[in-house]
Amino acid sequence: MKAYNDFYDVWLFDQSFEITETVLQEDEVSDIKWVTKFELANMYDSKNIVPTLDYFRFVF
């Protein structure tokens, strides 16, 4: 894992909800969707998500 000069918390929740009921903060989030671990890894490897999210490989 690379070292970044950032501070962030990771929170995991086990909760069922409809994604259509989610309210986005328009200034911070452009879109959301459910993905599998495999899809997330492909998104990361394709540089479609920020590099600071590399910790997902250790969490899942």
Short mmCIF file of all heavy atoms in Angstrom, two decimals:
data_model
loop_
_atom_site.label_atom_id
_atom_site.label_comp_id
_atom_site.label_asym_id
_atom_site.label_seq_id
_atom_site.Cartn_x
_atom_site.Cartn_y
_atom_site.Cartn_z
N MET A 1 0.85 -1.18 0.00
CA MET A 1 0.00 0.00 0.00
C MET A 1 0.89 1.24 0.00
O MET A 1 1.85 1.32 0.75
CB MET A 1 -0.91 -0.01 1.24
CG MET A 1 -1.81 1.20 1.31
SD MET A 1 -2.84 1.30 2.80
CE MET A 1 -4.00 0.01 2.49
N LYS A 2 0.56 2.19 -0.85
CA LYS A 2 1.32 3.44 -0.90
C LYS A 2 0.97 4.32 0.29
O LYS A 2 -0.10 4.20 0.87
CB LYS A 2 0.98 4.20 -2.19
CG LYS A 2 1.45 3.52 -3.45
CD LYS A 2 1.12 4.37 -4.65
CE LYS A 2 1.55 3.68 -5.91
NZ LYS A 2 1.21 4.48 -7.09
N ALA A 3 1.89 5.19 0.64
CA ALA A 3 1.64 6.15 1.72
C ALA A 3 1.17 7.47 1.13
O ALA A 3 1.74 7.96 0.16
CB ALA A 3 2.92 6.36 2.52
N TYR A 4 0.11 8.01 1.70
CA TYR A 4 -0.43 9.30 1.26
C TYR A 4 -0.43 10.24 2.45
O TYR A 4 -0.51 9.82 3.59
CB TYR A 4 -1.86 9.15 0.72
CG TYR A 4 -1.95 8.30 -0.51
CD1 TYR A 4 -2.30 6.95 -0.43
CD2 TYR A 4 -1.68 8.83 -1.76
CE1 TYR A 4 -2.37 6.16 -1.57
CE2 TYR A 4 -1.76 8.05 -2.90
CZ TYR A 4 -2.10 6.72 -2.79
OH TYR A 4 -2.16 5.95 -3.92
N ASN A 5 -0.33 11.51 2.18
CA ASN A 5 -0.39 12.52 3.23
C ASN A 5 -1.83 12.95 3.46
O ASN A 5 -2.14 14.13 3.52
CB ASN A 5 0.49 13.73 2.87
CG ASN A 5 1.95 13.37 2.88
OD1 ASN A 5 2.39 12.56 3.69
ND2 ASN A 5 2.72 13.95 1.99
N ASP A 6 -2.69 11.99 3.57
CA ASP A 6 -4.11 12.23 3.77
C ASP A 6 -4.55 11.55 5.06
O ASP A 6 -3.93 10.61 5.53
CB ASP A 6 -4.95 11.66 2.63
CG ASP A 6 -4.65 12.30 1.29
OD1 ASP A 6 -4.20 13.46 1.29
OD2 ASP A 6 -4.88 11.65 0.27
N PHE A 7 -5.64 12.02 5.57
CA PHE A 7 -6.27 11.38 6.71
C PHE A 7 -7.69 11.02 6.30
O PHE A 7 -8.42 11.86 5.78
CB PHE A 7 -6.30 12.33 7.92
CG PHE A 7 -7.01 11.74 9.10
CD1 PHE A 7 -6.35 10.89 9.97
CD2 PHE A 7 -8.34 12.02 9.33
CE1 PHE A 7 -7.01 10.33 11.05
CE2 PHE A 7 -9.01 11.48 10.42
CZ PHE A 7 -8.34 10.63 11.28
N TYR A 8 -8.06 9.79 6.48
CA TYR A 8 -9.42 9.40 6.17
C TYR A 8 -9.85 8.25 7.06
O TYR A 8 -9.04 7.48 7.53
CB TYR A 8 -9.59 9.04 4.69
CG TYR A 8 -8.61 8.03 4.14
CD1 TYR A 8 -8.86 6.67 4.20
CD2 TYR A 8 -7.42 8.44 3.55
CE1 TYR A 8 -7.98 5.75 3.69
CE2 TYR A 8 -6.53 7.53 3.03
CZ TYR A 8 -6.81 6.18 3.10
OH TYR A 8 -5.93 5.28 2.60
N ASP A 9 -11.12 8.19 7.30
CA ASP A 9 -11.73 7.11 8.07
C ASP A 9 -12.44 6.17 7.11
O ASP A 9 -12.96 6.59 6.09
CB ASP A 9 -12.79 7.64 9.05
CG ASP A 9 -12.17 8.38 10.22
OD1 ASP A 9 -11.05 8.04 10.61
OD2 ASP A 9 -12.83 9.29 10.74
N VAL A 10 -12.46 4.90 7.47
CA VAL A 10 -13.21 3.92 6.70
C VAL A 10 -14.27 3.35 7.62
O VAL A 10 -13.97 2.85 8.70
CB VAL A 10 -12.29 2.78 6.20
CG1 VAL A 10 -13.09 1.73 5.48
CG2 VAL A 10 -11.19 3.35 5.32
N TRP A 11 -15.51 3.46 7.20
CA TRP A 11 -16.64 2.96 7.98
C TRP A 11 -17.37 1.92 7.15
O TRP A 11 -17.70 2.17 6.00
CB TRP A 11 -17.60 4.09 8.31
CG TRP A 11 -17.02 5.17 9.17
CD1 TRP A 11 -15.98 5.99 8.88
CD2 TRP A 11 -17.45 5.53 10.47
NE1 TRP A 11 -15.73 6.84 9.90
CE2 TRP A 11 -16.64 6.59 10.91
CE3 TRP A 11 -18.46 5.08 11.32
CZ2 TRP A 11 -16.79 7.19 12.14
CZ3 TRP A 11 -18.62 5.68 12.54
CH2 TRP A 11 -17.79 6.71 12.96
N LEU A 12 -17.61 0.76 7.72
CA LEU A 12 -18.37 -0.28 7.04
C LEU A 12 -19.67 -0.51 7.80
O LEU A 12 -19.66 -0.65 9.02
CB LEU A 12 -17.58 -1.59 6.99
CG LEU A 12 -16.27 -1.56 6.21
CD1 LEU A 12 -15.55 -2.90 6.34
CD2 LEU A 12 -16.53 -1.24 4.76
N PHE A 13 -20.75 -0.54 7.06
CA PHE A 13 -22.07 -0.76 7.65
C PHE A 13 -22.72 -1.95 6.95
O PHE A 13 -22.62 -2.09 5.73
CB PHE A 13 -22.97 0.46 7.48
CG PHE A 13 -22.46 1.68 8.19
CD1 PHE A 13 -21.66 2.60 7.53
CD2 PHE A 13 -22.78 1.91 9.51
CE1 PHE A 13 -21.19 3.73 8.17
CE2 PHE A 13 -22.31 3.04 10.17
CZ PHE A 13 -21.51 3.94 9.50
N ASP A 14 -23.38 -2.77 7.71
CA ASP A 14 -24.16 -3.86 7.15
C ASP A 14 -25.62 -3.43 7.22
O ASP A 14 -26.25 -3.48 8.27
CB ASP A 14 -23.93 -5.14 7.96
CG ASP A 14 -24.66 -6.33 7.37
OD1 ASP A 14 -25.21 -6.22 6.26
OD2 ASP A 14 -24.68 -7.38 8.03
N GLN A 15 -26.13 -2.94 6.09
CA GLN A 15 -27.47 -2.37 6.07
C GLN A 15 -28.08 -2.59 4.70
O GLN A 15 -27.40 -2.47 3.69
CB GLN A 15 -27.40 -0.87 6.37
CG GLN A 15 -28.73 -0.19 6.41
CD GLN A 15 -28.58 1.29 6.76
OE1 GLN A 15 -27.50 1.79 7.02
NE2 GLN A 15 -29.69 1.99 6.76
N SER A 16 -29.35 -2.88 4.67
CA SER A 16 -30.07 -3.02 3.40
C SER A 16 -30.85 -1.75 3.13
O SER A 16 -31.52 -1.23 4.02
CB SER A 16 -31.03 -4.21 3.46
OG SER A 16 -30.32 -5.41 3.59
N PHE A 17 -30.74 -1.24 1.92
CA PHE A 17 -31.51 -0.06 1.51
C PHE A 17 -31.55 0.00 -0.01
O PHE A 17 -30.75 -0.64 -0.69
CB PHE A 17 -30.91 1.23 2.08
CG PHE A 17 -29.54 1.56 1.56
CD1 PHE A 17 -29.38 2.39 0.47
CD2 PHE A 17 -28.41 1.04 2.17
CE1 PHE A 17 -28.12 2.69 -0.02
CE2 PHE A 17 -27.15 1.34 1.70
CZ PHE A 17 -27.00 2.17 0.60
N GLU A 18 -32.50 0.74 -0.50
CA GLU A 18 -32.62 0.93 -1.94
C GLU A 18 -31.70 2.07 -2.36
O GLU A 18 -31.76 3.16 -1.79
CB GLU A 18 -34.06 1.25 -2.32
CG GLU A 18 -35.03 0.11 -2.11
CD GLU A 18 -34.74 -1.07 -3.00
OE1 GLU A 18 -34.29 -0.86 -4.15
OE2 GLU A 18 -34.95 -2.21 -2.53
N ILE A 19 -30.86 1.83 -3.33
CA ILE A 19 -29.92 2.86 -3.78
C ILE A 19 -30.67 4.07 -4.33
O ILE A 19 -30.18 5.19 -4.26
CB ILE A 19 -28.93 2.27 -4.81
CG1 ILE A 19 -27.69 3.15 -4.90
CG2 ILE A 19 -29.58 2.07 -6.16
CD1 ILE A 19 -26.53 2.51 -5.62
N THR A 20 -31.87 3.87 -4.83
CA THR A 20 -32.66 4.98 -5.36
C THR A 20 -33.13 5.93 -4.26
O THR A 20 -33.52 7.05 -4.54
CB THR A 20 -33.89 4.46 -6.13
OG1 THR A 20 -34.65 3.61 -5.26
CG2 THR A 20 -33.48 3.70 -7.37
N GLU A 21 -33.08 5.48 -3.01
CA GLU A 21 -33.49 6.31 -1.88
C GLU A 21 -32.34 7.15 -1.32
O GLU A 21 -32.52 7.94 -0.41
CB GLU A 21 -34.06 5.44 -0.76
CG GLU A 21 -35.31 4.69 -1.15
CD GLU A 21 -35.76 3.71 -0.08
OE1 GLU A 21 -35.11 3.62 0.97
OE2 GLU A 21 -36.77 3.02 -0.31
N THR A 22 -31.17 7.00 -1.89
CA THR A 22 -29.99 7.70 -1.41
C THR A 22 -29.99 9.15 -1.89
O THR A 22 -30.27 9.43 -3.05
CB THR A 22 -28.71 6.99 -1.92
OG1 THR A 22 -28.77 5.62 -1.52
CG2 THR A 22 -27.48 7.64 -1.36
N VAL A 23 -29.68 10.06 -0.99
CA VAL A 23 -29.58 11.48 -1.32
C VAL A 23 -28.10 11.84 -1.44
O VAL A 23 -27.34 11.65 -0.50
CB VAL A 23 -30.26 12.36 -0.24
CG1 VAL A 23 -30.10 13.83 -0.59
CG2 VAL A 23 -31.73 11.98 -0.09
N LEU A 24 -27.70 12.32 -2.60
CA LEU A 24 -26.30 12.65 -2.85
C LEU A 24 -26.02 14.11 -2.51
O LEU A 24 -26.87 14.97 -2.69
CB LEU A 24 -25.94 12.42 -4.32
CG LEU A 24 -26.19 11.03 -4.87
CD1 LEU A 24 -25.78 10.98 -6.34
CD2 LEU A 24 -25.44 9.99 -4.07
N GLN A 25 -24.82 14.38 -2.02
CA GLN A 25 -24.36 15.75 -1.83
C GLN A 25 -23.76 16.18 -3.17
O GLN A 25 -22.67 15.76 -3.54
CB GLN A 25 -23.32 15.82 -0.72
CG GLN A 25 -23.88 15.44 0.63
CD GLN A 25 -22.81 15.46 1.71
OE1 GLN A 25 -21.63 15.49 1.45
NE2 GLN A 25 -23.26 15.44 2.95
N GLU A 26 -24.49 17.00 -3.88
CA GLU A 26 -24.13 17.34 -5.26
C GLU A 26 -22.73 17.93 -5.41
O GLU A 26 -22.09 17.74 -6.44
CB GLU A 26 -25.17 18.28 -5.85
CG GLU A 26 -26.52 17.62 -6.04
CD GLU A 26 -27.54 18.55 -6.68
OE1 GLU A 26 -27.13 19.53 -7.32
OE2 GLU A 26 -28.74 18.27 -6.53
N ASP A 27 -22.24 18.64 -4.40
CA ASP A 27 -20.90 19.22 -4.49
C ASP A 27 -19.80 18.18 -4.28
O ASP A 27 -18.63 18.46 -4.56
CB ASP A 27 -20.74 20.33 -3.45
CG ASP A 27 -21.60 21.54 -3.74
OD1 ASP A 27 -22.07 21.68 -4.89
OD2 ASP A 27 -21.80 22.35 -2.82
N GLU A 28 -20.16 17.00 -3.78
CA GLU A 28 -19.15 16.01 -3.45
C GLU A 28 -19.26 14.70 -4.20
O GLU A 28 -18.28 13.98 -4.34
CB GLU A 28 -19.21 15.72 -1.94
CG GLU A 28 -18.89 16.93 -1.09
CD GLU A 28 -18.90 16.61 0.39
OE1 GLU A 28 -18.87 15.43 0.74
OE2 GLU A 28 -18.92 17.57 1.19
N VAL A 29 -20.45 14.37 -4.67
CA VAL A 29 -20.68 13.07 -5.28
C VAL A 29 -21.36 13.25 -6.63
O VAL A 29 -22.35 13.96 -6.74
CB VAL A 29 -21.59 12.18 -4.38
CG1 VAL A 29 -21.82 10.82 -5.01
CG2 VAL A 29 -20.99 12.05 -2.99
N SER A 30 -20.82 12.60 -7.66
CA SER A 30 -21.42 12.72 -8.98
C SER A 30 -22.39 11.58 -9.28
O SER A 30 -23.37 11.77 -9.98
CB SER A 30 -20.35 12.79 -10.07
OG SER A 30 -19.57 11.61 -10.05
N ASP A 31 -22.12 10.38 -8.74
CA ASP A 31 -22.99 9.24 -9.02
C ASP A 31 -22.65 8.11 -8.06
O ASP A 31 -21.56 8.10 -7.46
CB ASP A 31 -22.79 8.77 -10.46
CG ASP A 31 -23.94 7.94 -10.98
OD1 ASP A 31 -24.96 7.80 -10.27
OD2 ASP A 31 -23.83 7.43 -12.11
N ILE A 32 -23.56 7.18 -7.91
CA ILE A 32 -23.32 5.99 -7.09
C ILE A 32 -23.85 4.77 -7.80
O ILE A 32 -24.72 4.87 -8.68
CB ILE A 32 -23.98 6.10 -5.69
CG1 ILE A 32 -25.49 6.29 -5.82
CG2 ILE A 32 -23.35 7.20 -4.88
CD1 ILE A 32 -26.22 6.22 -4.49
N LYS A 33 -23.30 3.61 -7.46
CA LYS A 33 -23.82 2.35 -7.98
C LYS A 33 -23.25 1.21 -7.14
O LYS A 33 -22.23 1.36 -6.47
CB LYS A 33 -23.46 2.16 -9.45
CG LYS A 33 -21.98 1.93 -9.74
CD LYS A 33 -21.76 1.70 -11.21
CE LYS A 33 -20.31 1.39 -11.52
NZ LYS A 33 -20.15 1.09 -12.94
N TRP A 34 -23.95 0.10 -7.16
CA TRP A 34 -23.46 -1.10 -6.50
C TRP A 34 -22.45 -1.77 -7.42
O TRP A 34 -22.66 -1.85 -8.63
CB TRP A 34 -24.60 -2.08 -6.24
CG TRP A 34 -25.63 -1.62 -5.27
CD1 TRP A 34 -26.93 -1.35 -5.52
CD2 TRP A 34 -25.44 -1.38 -3.87
NE1 TRP A 34 -27.58 -0.96 -4.38
CE2 TRP A 34 -26.67 -0.96 -3.34
CE3 TRP A 34 -24.36 -1.45 -3.01
CZ2 TRP A 34 -26.85 -0.63 -2.01
CZ3 TRP A 34 -24.54 -1.13 -1.68
CH2 TRP A 34 -25.76 -0.72 -1.20
N VAL A 35 -21.34 -2.26 -6.86
CA VAL A 35 -20.36 -3.01 -7.64
C VAL A 35 -19.88 -4.20 -6.83
O VAL A 35 -19.92 -4.19 -5.60
CB VAL A 35 -19.13 -2.14 -8.04
CG1 VAL A 35 -19.53 -1.02 -8.96
CG2 VAL A 35 -18.39 -1.62 -6.83
N THR A 36 -19.42 -5.21 -7.52
CA THR A 36 -18.82 -6.36 -6.87
C THR A 36 -17.36 -6.04 -6.55
O THR A 36 -16.80 -5.04 -7.05
CB THR A 36 -18.87 -7.60 -7.78
OG1 THR A 36 -18.05 -7.35 -8.94
CG2 THR A 36 -20.29 -7.94 -8.20
N LYS A 37 -16.73 -6.87 -5.76
CA LYS A 37 -15.30 -6.69 -5.47
C LYS A 37 -14.49 -6.72 -6.77
O LYS A 37 -13.58 -5.93 -6.96
CB LYS A 37 -14.83 -7.78 -4.51
CG LYS A 37 -13.39 -7.68 -4.14
CD LYS A 37 -12.97 -8.79 -3.20
CE LYS A 37 -11.50 -8.74 -2.90
NZ LYS A 37 -11.07 -9.82 -2.01
N PHE A 38 -14.84 -7.62 -7.66
CA PHE A 38 -14.15 -7.73 -8.95
C PHE A 38 -14.31 -6.45 -9.77
O PHE A 38 -13.35 -5.95 -10.36
CB PHE A 38 -14.69 -8.94 -9.71
CG PHE A 38 -14.05 -9.14 -11.05
CD1 PHE A 38 -12.77 -9.65 -11.17
CD2 PHE A 38 -14.74 -8.83 -12.21
CE1 PHE A 38 -12.17 -9.82 -12.40
CE2 PHE A 38 -14.17 -9.00 -13.46
CZ PHE A 38 -12.88 -9.50 -13.55
N GLU A 39 -15.54 -5.92 -9.83
CA GLU A 39 -15.78 -4.68 -10.57
C GLU A 39 -15.01 -3.51 -9.95
O GLU A 39 -14.45 -2.68 -10.68
CB GLU A 39 -17.27 -4.35 -10.59
CG GLU A 39 -18.09 -5.30 -11.46
CD GLU A 39 -19.58 -5.10 -11.28
OE1 GLU A 39 -20.05 -4.94 -10.12
OE2 GLU A 39 -20.29 -5.10 -12.30
N LEU A 40 -14.96 -3.45 -8.63
CA LEU A 40 -14.21 -2.38 -7.95
C LEU A 40 -12.73 -2.48 -8.28
O LEU A 40 -12.08 -1.47 -8.56
CB LEU A 40 -14.44 -2.45 -6.44
CG LEU A 40 -13.78 -1.37 -5.61
CD1 LEU A 40 -14.26 0.02 -6.03
CD2 LEU A 40 -14.04 -1.60 -4.13
N ALA A 41 -12.19 -3.69 -8.27
CA ALA A 41 -10.77 -3.88 -8.62
C ALA A 41 -10.51 -3.43 -10.05
O ALA A 41 -9.50 -2.78 -10.33
CB ALA A 41 -10.38 -5.34 -8.43
N ASN A 42 -11.41 -3.75 -10.98
CA ASN A 42 -11.25 -3.31 -12.37
C ASN A 42 -11.33 -1.80 -12.48
O ASN A 42 -10.56 -1.19 -13.24
CB ASN A 42 -12.31 -3.95 -13.27
CG ASN A 42 -12.00 -5.39 -13.58
OD1 ASN A 42 -10.85 -5.82 -13.49
ND2 ASN A 42 -13.02 -6.15 -13.94
N MET A 43 -12.24 -1.18 -11.73
CA MET A 43 -12.35 0.29 -11.75
C MET A 43 -11.05 0.91 -11.23
O MET A 43 -10.56 1.89 -11.79
CB MET A 43 -13.53 0.73 -10.90
CG MET A 43 -14.88 0.38 -11.48
SD MET A 43 -16.24 0.62 -10.34
CE MET A 43 -16.22 2.40 -10.15
N TYR A 44 -10.50 0.34 -10.17
CA TYR A 44 -9.25 0.86 -9.60
C TYR A 44 -8.09 0.69 -10.59
O TYR A 44 -7.34 1.63 -10.84
CB TYR A 44 -8.95 0.16 -8.28
CG TYR A 44 -7.69 0.67 -7.64
CD1 TYR A 44 -7.71 1.84 -6.89
CD2 TYR A 44 -6.48 0.02 -7.80
CE1 TYR A 44 -6.56 2.33 -6.31
CE2 TYR A 44 -5.33 0.51 -7.23
CZ TYR A 44 -5.37 1.66 -6.49
OH TYR A 44 -4.22 2.15 -5.92
N ASP A 45 -7.96 -0.51 -11.14
CA ASP A 45 -6.86 -0.80 -12.06
C ASP A 45 -6.95 0.04 -13.34
O ASP A 45 -5.94 0.35 -13.95
CB ASP A 45 -6.83 -2.28 -12.41
CG ASP A 45 -6.48 -3.16 -11.22
OD1 ASP A 45 -5.89 -2.64 -10.23
OD2 ASP A 45 -6.81 -4.36 -11.25
N SER A 46 -8.15 0.43 -13.73
CA SER A 46 -8.36 1.26 -14.92
C SER A 46 -8.26 2.75 -14.61
O SER A 46 -8.51 3.58 -15.48
CB SER A 46 -9.74 0.97 -15.52
OG SER A 46 -9.84 -0.37 -15.91
N LYS A 47 -7.94 3.06 -13.35
CA LYS A 47 -7.80 4.45 -12.90
C LYS A 47 -9.11 5.24 -13.01
O LYS A 47 -9.11 6.43 -13.31
CB LYS A 47 -6.67 5.16 -13.63
CG LYS A 47 -5.31 4.52 -13.39
CD LYS A 47 -4.22 5.29 -14.04
CE LYS A 47 -2.85 4.77 -13.90
NZ LYS A 47 -2.46 3.70 -13.15
N ASN A 48 -10.22 4.55 -12.77
CA ASN A 48 -11.53 5.20 -12.78
C ASN A 48 -11.97 5.65 -11.39
O ASN A 48 -13.03 6.26 -11.26
CB ASN A 48 -12.59 4.26 -13.36
CG ASN A 48 -12.40 4.05 -14.84
OD1 ASN A 48 -12.06 4.98 -15.56
ND2 ASN A 48 -12.61 2.84 -15.30
N ILE A 49 -11.18 5.33 -10.38
CA ILE A 49 -11.42 5.84 -9.02
C ILE A 49 -10.09 6.34 -8.47
O ILE A 49 -9.02 5.99 -8.96
CB ILE A 49 -12.04 4.77 -8.09
CG1 ILE A 49 -11.16 3.52 -8.00
CG2 ILE A 49 -13.44 4.39 -8.56
CD1 ILE A 49 -11.68 2.48 -7.04
N VAL A 50 -10.16 7.18 -7.47
CA VAL A 50 -8.96 7.83 -6.95
C VAL A 50 -8.00 6.81 -6.33
O VAL A 50 -8.43 5.81 -5.73
CB VAL A 50 -9.30 8.94 -5.93
CG1 VAL A 50 -10.05 10.06 -6.61
CG2 VAL A 50 -10.10 8.38 -4.77
N PRO A 51 -6.69 7.02 -6.46
CA PRO A 51 -5.71 6.06 -5.96
C PRO A 51 -5.70 5.89 -4.45
O PRO A 51 -5.24 4.86 -3.96
CB PRO A 51 -4.37 6.60 -6.47
CG PRO A 51 -4.62 8.03 -6.78
CD PRO A 51 -6.07 8.15 -7.14
N THR A 52 -6.22 6.86 -3.72
CA THR A 52 -6.23 6.72 -2.25
C THR A 52 -7.22 5.66 -1.77
O THR A 52 -7.24 5.35 -0.59
CB THR A 52 -6.56 8.07 -1.58
OG1 THR A 52 -7.77 8.58 -2.14
CG2 THR A 52 -5.44 9.07 -1.78
N LEU A 53 -8.02 5.11 -2.67
CA LEU A 53 -8.95 4.05 -2.29
C LEU A 53 -8.33 2.66 -2.40
O LEU A 53 -9.03 1.65 -2.34
CB LEU A 53 -10.22 4.12 -3.15
CG LEU A 53 -11.07 5.37 -2.95
CD1 LEU A 53 -12.27 5.34 -3.88
CD2 LEU A 53 -11.53 5.49 -1.51
N ASP A 54 -7.02 2.58 -2.51
CA ASP A 54 -6.37 1.27 -2.66
C ASP A 54 -6.55 0.36 -1.44
O ASP A 54 -6.36 -0.83 -1.53
CB ASP A 54 -4.89 1.44 -2.98
CG ASP A 54 -4.09 2.12 -1.89
OD1 ASP A 54 -4.70 2.73 -0.99
OD2 ASP A 54 -2.85 2.07 -1.96
N TYR A 55 -6.96 0.92 -0.31
CA TYR A 55 -7.16 0.10 0.89
C TYR A 55 -8.29 -0.91 0.73
O TYR A 55 -8.38 -1.87 1.50
CB TYR A 55 -7.46 1.01 2.10
CG TYR A 55 -8.75 1.78 1.97
CD1 TYR A 55 -9.98 1.20 2.28
CD2 TYR A 55 -8.76 3.09 1.51
CE1 TYR A 55 -11.15 1.89 2.14
CE2 TYR A 55 -9.93 3.79 1.36
CZ TYR A 55 -11.14 3.19 1.69
OH TYR A 55 -12.30 3.88 1.54
N PHE A 56 -9.15 -0.76 -0.27
CA PHE A 56 -10.28 -1.68 -0.43
C PHE A 56 -9.81 -3.12 -0.57
O PHE A 56 -10.49 -4.04 -0.14
CB PHE A 56 -11.16 -1.28 -1.62
CG PHE A 56 -10.65 -1.74 -2.95
CD1 PHE A 56 -11.00 -2.98 -3.46
CD2 PHE A 56 -9.80 -0.95 -3.70
CE1 PHE A 56 -10.52 -3.40 -4.68
CE2 PHE A 56 -9.32 -1.36 -4.93
CZ PHE A 56 -9.68 -2.60 -5.42
N ARG A 57 -8.63 -3.32 -1.13
CA ARG A 57 -8.12 -4.68 -1.29
C ARG A 57 -7.86 -5.36 0.06
O ARG A 57 -7.90 -6.58 0.16
CB ARG A 57 -6.84 -4.67 -2.12
CG ARG A 57 -7.04 -4.18 -3.54
CD ARG A 57 -5.74 -4.26 -4.33
NE ARG A 57 -5.80 -3.52 -5.57
CZ ARG A 57 -6.24 -4.01 -6.72
NH1 ARG A 57 -6.70 -5.24 -6.78
NH2 ARG A 57 -6.24 -3.28 -7.81
N PHE A 58 -7.58 -4.58 1.08
CA PHE A 58 -7.31 -5.13 2.41
C PHE A 58 -8.58 -5.27 3.24
O PHE A 58 -8.62 -6.03 4.19
CB PHE A 58 -6.30 -4.25 3.14
CG PHE A 58 -5.01 -4.10 2.38
CD1 PHE A 58 -4.76 -2.95 1.65
CD2 PHE A 58 -4.07 -5.11 2.35
CE1 PHE A 58 -3.58 -2.80 0.93
CE2 PHE A 58 -2.90 -4.99 1.63
CZ PHE A 58 -2.66 -3.83 0.92
N VAL A 59 -9.60 -4.49 2.89
CA VAL A 59 -10.85 -4.50 3.66
C VAL A 59 -11.75 -5.63 3.19
O VAL A 59 -12.41 -6.28 3.99
CB VAL A 59 -11.57 -3.14 3.52
CG1 VAL A 59 -12.93 -3.18 4.19
CG2 VAL A 59 -10.71 -2.02 4.10
N PHE A 60 -11.80 -5.86 1.87
CA PHE A 60 -12.70 -6.86 1.32
C PHE A 60 -11.93 -8.09 0.96
O PHE A 60 -11.81 -8.63 0.03
CB PHE A 60 -13.46 -6.29 0.12
CG PHE A 60 -14.27 -5.08 0.47
CD1 PHE A 60 -13.88 -3.82 0.06
CD2 PHE A 60 -15.41 -5.19 1.25
CE1 PHE A 60 -14.62 -2.69 0.37
CE2 PHE A 60 -16.16 -4.07 1.58
CZ PHE A 60 -15.76 -2.82 1.14
#
